[in-house]
Amino acid sequence: MAKSNPLVFLQQVRAEAAKVTWPTRRETLITTVMVFIMVAAAAVFFLAADQAMSWGVSYLLSLVR
């Protein structure tokens, strides 16, 4: 494996980082809000699914007694 010069490596890293298209503050805000909305929707969905399964299992177990 060829040894690389750390200075050259850092220059290459800076050159590649300059090519990155960074999101604007507005895009970051919109994406963050959408993530929070999706997390809340997933939490409500899993709460409802958990409650439905809990009620179903409780009902089935009450039939066995």
Side-chain angles (χ1 to χ4, degrees):
M1 180 166 29
K3 292 192 175 194
S4 62
N5 183 352
L7 185 59
V8 172
F9 174 75
L10 289 176
Q11 288 172 343
Q12 291 173 349
V13 168
R14 284 193 70 200
E16 289 299 318
K19 294 178 187 177
V20 174
T21 303
W22 298 102
T24 63
R25 182 176 297 270
R26 185 173 188 273
E27 290 171 335
T28 304
L29 179 66
I30 291 171
T31 304
T32 302
V33 170
M34 289 304 299
V35 167
F36 280 118
I37 290 170
M38 293 305 295
V39 165
V44 169
F45 170 78
F46 285 115
L47 174 67
D50 185 51
Q51 288 297 316
M53 286 185 276
S54 175
W55 292 331
V57 169
S58 295
Y59 176 73
L60 290 175
L61 290 176
S62 70
L63 293 177
V64 174
R65 291 183 190 187

